[in-house]
Amino acid sequence: MSGTYGLYVVRQTGIHRLHPLTKLVYVLVCLLIGWLIPGVWSPYIVLLIGVVPVALIARVLPEVIKNTIKTAIPFAISLIIVQGLFWTGGTIVRQLGPFSLKAEGLLFAIRGTGRIILAVSGFLLLNYTTRSDELMLALSQKGLPNSISYVVLSTLQVIPRFQRKANTILDAQRSRGLETEGSYLIRMRALMPLVVPLLLGSIVDIEERAIALEVRAFSREGAKTSLLVLHDTRFQRAIRWLLMLGAMAVIGWRFYLWLAPRLA
Amino acid sequence: MERLKRDFSTISLAMIPIAIAINIAVGQIVKALRLPLYLDSIGTVFVGAVAGPWVGALTGLLSNIIWAIIFGDVTNTVPYAPVAAAIGFLAGVFSKYGWFKVWWKAVLGGAITGVVASLLSAPITFYLFGGVVGTGMDIITAAFRSQGMSMLAANFLQGLATDPLDKAISFLIVYLILRALPDRYIDRFSRAEDVR
Amino acid sequence: MIRLDRVSYSYPRATSPALNDLSVDIPAGQFCAVIGANGAGKSTLCSALAGFVPHFYRGRLTGTVEVAGIDIAASSLAELAGTVGLVFSNPFNQITGARFSVRDEVAFGLENMGVPRAEMETRIDYILQFAGLAGLAERPPFALSGGQQQRLAIASVLVMRPRVLVLDEPTSQLDPVGSREVFTVLRDLAATDEATVVLAEQKLEWVAAFADRVLVLHEGRLVADGLPGDILASPDLQRYGLEPTRYTRAARAAQAAGLRPEGDTLPVTLEQAAEFFA
C-alpha cells in the first residue's frame, strides 16, 4: 500500500478533482454494462472505451495495467484449466495428452477473464484517483452513518501499525527459539504463541480508543459539520443521473432478454 | 432496538478497526508460517462473540471491503463480503447461546459456520468468477470437475475442504482469548455475559 | 470549577475502593497537579472528572463530582465532551485515525459538535500554533513522533475549548525529548491563567515548575494538599511512595553534611536550587 490515502496516487488531473460520487457511479456503471451485455468480448470493449481512456487522462494507466495483470493472470490460468479443459461436452479444439481443450470452455474463460479485468481495473481506477476520506464524506452526505465512515477510515490507518506489530512478534518469538519452519505440525504449533500476544495486546487499545472517541464528542447526536469540502457541479450531477438512467436501461434490456424466451 | 443501540456503542465501533486489523495481521502471520489456512476472520469472530450478531456482521462486511482497498484486489474480497458478514453474524448467534463458554462447542460452532460459509461462497464463485478463485485451491475444483461433478457442487466441495477446519480453529482461538482476558476487559462489551 | 464532595468509587469486581472519601475544591484558572504512587487513584480521579467513572467503567460511585456546575453522575459522556477534555498516556490510541492530516484530526471533535467551518478554521489555526504543530498541519497523524502525537492529542482536545482539561500522565510513554515538548505546551497553558487544568503526574520536577497547587493521593485518599514548594519538599513524600526531586535531595544531602543550615526552605525547582546553594 502506498501512503495514507490507501491506494490514492497523488496527481493533479481533472479526474482526480472530480466529485467522488461521479467516479464511483461511473465505475459501477462501466462494470454493470460490461458484465450484463451478452457477448464474449463485451467486457473488453467496455474496458477499452470506458476505463483505459479515463486512466490515461488521470495519468494512472501504468499502475492500473500493472496491478490488474497481477490479479487477473491467476484467474485466467485457473479459468482456462477448470473451464477450458473440463468443459462437459463441447467441441474439441486440441488434444493435450489425456485432456482436451474445448472451444466453449475457452470462450467462457475469455469472457470470465474479461469480466475480472474490468472489475479489477475499474476498482483500481476509482481508488487511484479518489481519496478515501473524500469518498466517505460524499457517502456520509448521502446518508451513510458517520460511524461507518469512522470505522473505514480509521481501519485504513490502523492496519499498517498492526502489520508492523505482527512482524515484531514474529521476530521476537523466533529469536526466543520458536520454530516457524519445518513440518506442518511444527508450524501449526507456532501459531498460538504468535497470534495470542497480538490479540491480547490489542484489547487494551480498544478501550482507550473508545475513551478517546467519547472525549471528541463522537457519540453526540445532532448535526455534524466537516472541515473537508467537496466540489460538485451541476454538470457532474447531471452526468451521474444520466449514467444511472443508462444503467437502469441496460438492466431492463438484459432482463427483457432473459424474460422474453421464457414467456414465448 | 435498545439492545441494538447498546451493541453499536462507541466501544463496539472502536473495536471494529482493531478487529479488522487483527484479521489482516493474523492472515499475514499464517502466510508467513505457510499454513494451508486463512484465519483471516478471527477479529470478526471475536466481535461477533462479544458484541452480538449485527456488529459481527458489520465487521465481516467492512473487513472484506477494506481488504480490497488495502491490497488493491477486488476479486476475492468484496464479492465475498456477504460470506464474511455471515461468519460474524453466526459467531454472534453461537455466542448468544453460550457456545463460547465451552471449548468443544466453540469448535463445533466454528465448523458449522465453515459449512455455511462454503454454501454461501459457492454460488458467488460460480456466478461471478466462472467457478474459480484464482489460487491453488482451483486444483481441488478441477479434480471434482473431472469426476463429472457439476461446477456449483465442485465449488461447494472446494470450500468444504478448508472452511470448516479454518473456522473451527478461528473459533477455538477466540475461545482461548476470551479465557485469557481479565474479566474487567470483557465487562466493557455489550454481550459480556454471553461469553464469561 | 471542580467540586468533589465525599467521593468514593469502586471498580466492578474490585474488593477495595479506588477512591476513598475524597473532597476537594478547585477554583477556575488553577493548574492543579495530582501526584501519588502507581495505584494511588490518580487515573481513577481523572476518569471521574471526565465522567468515564462511572459512565464507562460502571462500578459504584458515591458522593458528588461536579465540574463546571454539571453533576457528572447525572450527565452523559456525550454531554460532557467539550466541557471536560481528557488526555491520557498512549498517544496512538488518542488519535482517531479517521482523519488523514493533523489539521483534519484536530477538526474531528469540532465536526462532531457541529461547529461551523469558518470558526473551525480560526480555532484550528490558533491551536496548532499554540501546540507548535503549525508546520506539521498537512502531515498524516500516525507519521508524527510520540511527542508530536501527544501534542496533537492535547491540541485536539483544547480546540474544543473545554472548561476543564484533565491530563492523566501525558508523558509516561514518551522519551525525554517528547516529554519536554509536551511539558513546554503545558507550561504555556499554565501561564495563560485562564485554563483550569488537572494534571496527574509522576515527574515531580515538572510539577514543581508550573503547578499552582499539588494534591497527593495515597491508596485512594487525599493525604496532602498545598503549594508545590511545601508539598514536594515535605519529608512525608517518601511515605507515599514518591521520590523527591533531585534538587530537594541534593539540598537535604547538603544539610546532612552540614554544608547548609537546617531549617532553610528546601528547593524543588532549578531556580530555587540555584538560590539555595548561592
Side-chain angles (χ1 to χ4, degrees):
Chain A
M1 70 172 286
S2 55
T4 336
Y5 302 116
L7 299 168
Y8 185 70
V9 182
V10 185
R11 296 261 197 284
Q12 298 299 325
T13 77
I15 305 293
H16 283 71
R17 280 190 290 272
L18 286 176
H19 191 273
L21 288 182
T22 306
K23 288 176 269 190
L24 178 69
V25 170
Y26 180 79
V27 165
L28 287 178
V29 169
C30 278
L31 240 73
L32 202 78
I33 294 176
W35 280 60
L36 285 184
I37 291 183
V40 172
W41 299 103
S42 54
Y44 296 93
I45 292 167
V46 174
L47 183 76
L48 283 179
I49 297 175
V51 177
V52 171
V54 179
L56 196 65
I57 298 170
R59 308 217 315 269
V60 291
L61 189 59
E63 288 93 337
V64 169
I65 292 175
K66 198 181 114 213
N67 285 304
T68 302
I69 289 176
K70 219 168 69 188
T71 310
I73 280 184
F75 269 96
I77 295 170
S78 285
L79 274 169
I80 289 168
I81 295 172
V82 174
Q83 296 288 5
L85 295 182
F86 295 102
W87 192 267
T88 18
T91 331
I92 294 169
V93 193
R94 202 192 189 114
Q95 200 68 34
L96 298 163
F99 304 111
S100 46
L101 197 60
K102 314 278 177 50
E104 289 82 352
L106 210 54
L107 286 177
F108 186 96
I110 291 171
R111 179 180 163 78
T113 305
R115 285 176 155 190
I116 284 154
I117 290 175
L118 181 61
V120 174
S121 60
F123 175 80
L124 287 174
L125 176 62
L126 174 68
N127 278 281
Y128 284 151
T129 59
T130 313
R131 277 170 51 165
S132 28
D133 55 344
E134 292 186 348
L135 180 59
M136 292 318 288
L137 177 61
L139 292 173
S140 295
Q141 288 169 349
K142 291 285 171 221
L144 185 82
N146 269 299
S147 49
I148 303 285
S149 164
Y150 158 76
V151 169
V152 171
L153 297 175
S154 187
T155 309
L156 287 176
Q157 292 205 84
V158 163
I159 282 172
R161 179 185 159 99
F162 272 72
Q163 290 180 317
R164 280 197 299 277
K165 228 172 166 177
N167 283 328
T168 309
I169 294 174
L170 206 58
D171 290 342
Q173 298 286 48
R174 272 179 184 153
S175 68
R176 287 170 58 186
L178 183 78
E179 287 199 55
T180 57
E181 302 288 331
S183 77
Y184 174 72
L185 212 65
I186 288 176
R187 285 177 285 133
M188 198 70 196
R189 238 184 263 140
L191 192 62
M192 288 291 165
L194 293 173
V195 169
V196 172
L198 181 74
L199 267 75
L200 287 180
S202 315
I203 309 290
V204 188
D205 285 349
I206 296 172
E207 193 173 305
E208 290 196 348
R209 295 183 71 79
I211 291 176
L213 281 175
E214 294 288 10
V215 170
R216 309 280 288 283
F218 183 67
S219 59
R220 173 168 298 208
E221 288 168 25
K224 306 204 167 183
T225 47
S226 169
L227 186 64
L228 200 63
V229 185
L230 299 174
H231 296 286
D232 204 359
T233 59
R234 196 174 294 168
F235 179 69
Q236 287 191 56
R237 266 194 292 273
I239 293 280
R240 291 202 293 271
W241 276 110
L242 278 175
L243 283 167
M244 285 188 280
L245 282 175
M248 277 189 281
V250 171
I251 292 172
W253 174 58
R254 188 67 185 77
F255 184 65
Y256 169 76
L257 283 185
W258 174 82
L259 196 64
R262 284 169 173 78
L263 291 179
Chain B
M1 209 48 220
E2 246 337 280
R3 166 107 260 198
L4 211 60
K5 219 176 150 184
R6 204 147 71 80
D7 281 344
F8 282 95
S9 62
T10 302
I11 191 136
S12 297
L13 293 168
M15 169 164 50
I16 298 175
I18 304 293
I20 297 174
I22 286 172
N23 285 347
I24 293 179
V26 174
Q28 189 178 318
I29 289 176
V30 170
K31 231 182 197 163
L33 289 177
R34 291 176 293 109
L35 290 172
L37 298 166
Y38 310 110
L39 303 190
D40 53 5
S41 47
I42 289 180
T44 306
V45 173
F46 182 85
V47 174
V50 300
W54 296 107
V55 189
L58 179 66
T59 307
L61 190 80
L62 294 178
S63 187
N64 276 34
I65 291 170
I66 284 162
W67 198 287
I69 299 173
I70 291 280
F71 295 106
D73 179 359
V74 77
T75 55
N76 286 329
T77 49
V78 176
Y80 296 95
V83 183
I87 292 167
F89 187 87
L90 285 174
V93 172
F94 287 123
S95 173
K96 195 183 156 90
Y97 291 99
W99 282 34
F100 279 98
K101 290 178 181 173
V102 190
W103 75 267
W104 63 265
K105 280 188 182 171
V107 171
L108 182 63
I112 295 171
T113 303
V115 174
V116 175
S118 329
L119 266 174
L120 294 175
S121 304
I124 296 172
T125 307
F126 177 71
Y127 287 108
L128 286 187
F129 301 117
V132 301
V133 290
T135 69
M137 297 302 292
D138 289 327
I139 296 177
I140 301 178
T141 311
F144 285 123
R145 196 80 209 282
S146 69
Q147 301 303 307
M149 194 174 283
S150 86
M151 196 68 201
L152 198 55
N155 285 153
F156 174 56
L157 287 176
Q158 183 261 103
L160 270 191
T162 48
D163 279 340
L165 178 68
D166 188 68
K167 301 303 173 283
I169 294 176
S170 300
F171 273 55
L172 181 65
I173 290 175
V174 170
Y175 164 84
L176 291 171
I177 296 294
L178 289 169
R179 293 308 108 195
L181 269 180
D183 281 339
R184 65 171 230 90
Y185 288 119
I186 298 183
D187 277 346
R188 311 273 171 271
F189 302 116
S190 61
R191 302 287 177 108
E193 69 278 11
D194 291 340
V195 295
R196 265 201 309 262
Chain C
M1 182 60 70
I2 299 173
R3 198 173 65 79
L4 270 73
D5 187 24
R6 311 211 62 179
V7 173
S8 293
Y9 172 76
S10 302
Y11 285 101
R13 303 164 188 278
T15 45
S16 61
L19 296 178
N20 201 342
D21 201 24
L22 214 66
S23 295
V24 66
D25 267 286
I26 300 173
Q30 197 168 64
F31 195 113
C32 186
V34 180
I35 63 173
N38 282 330
K42 299 192 300 292
S43 280
T44 312
L45 177 61
C46 291
S47 295
L49 293 175
F52 292 96
V53 158
H55 296 299
F56 185 80
Y57 292 106
R58 299 182 193 136
R60 210 163 43 84
L61 178 76
T62 58
T64 324
V65 182
E66 213 182 83
V67 177
I70 301 170
D71 178 4
I72 296 285
S75 183
S76 72
L77 291 174
E79 255 178 274
L80 286 168
T83 304
V84 190
L86 175 69
V87 172
F88 49 87
S89 306
N90 182 322
F92 167 76
N93 283 339
Q94 292 179 84
I95 290 168
T96 65
R99 293 294 179 269
F100 290 171
S101 71
V102 165
R103 193 181 181 75
D104 291 346
E105 174 70 23
V106 173
F108 188 80
L110 299 178
E111 293 174 334
N112 288 331
M113 299 204 326
V115 175
R117 212 176 151 268
E119 194 192 330
M120 267 200 261
E121 297 268 17
T122 337
R123 285 213 219 170
I124 294 170
D125 284 340
Y126 173 78
I127 215 73
L128 287 177
Q129 203 70 49
F130 179 81
L133 294 167
L136 304 170
E138 301 311 321
R139 293 273 293 278
F142 287 130
L144 304 184
S145 72
Q148 290 167 340
Q149 282 186 4
Q150 194 63 305
R151 282 187 285 149
L152 172 57
I154 294 171
S156 301
V157 167
L158 274 183
V159 80
M160 296 168 78
R161 298 200 176 145
R163 305 287 300 278
V164 172
L165 177 66
V166 180
L167 302 122
D168 185 2
E169 298 201 34
T171 64
S172 66
Q173 296 189 15
L174 302 180
D175 58 20
V177 177
S179 300
R180 182 170 294 272
E181 288 172 16
V182 168
F183 278 123
T184 307
V185 172
L186 294 184
R187 188 203 301 259
D188 293 347
L189 195 64
T192 60
D193 273 335
E194 285 156 25
T196 311
V197 181
V198 175
L199 167 70
E201 189 50 71
Q202 303 263 34
K203 294 169 185 159
L204 301 191
E205 278 157 41
W206 290 102
V207 168
F210 51 73
D212 299 323
R213 176 181 176 186
V214 176
L215 308 177
V216 185
L217 291 186
H218 183 60
E219 292 173 349
R221 289 177 186 276
L222 181 64
V223 290
D225 175 357
L227 295 169
D230 298 338
I231 300 275
L232 298 177
S234 149
D236 289 341
L237 217 52
Q238 268 145 316
R239 260 205 296 147
Y240 306 128
L242 291 162
E243 185 78 348
T245 69
R246 53 186 149 151
Y247 310 117
T248 312
R249 288 202 308 270
R252 243 185 234 145
Q255 282 180 337
L259 296 170
R260 293 281 135 184
E262 297 282 333
D264 274 15
T265 317
L266 295 171
V268 293
T269 64
L270 178 62
E271 288 75 17
Q272 291 169 4
E275 216 171 283
F276 181 88
F277 287 104

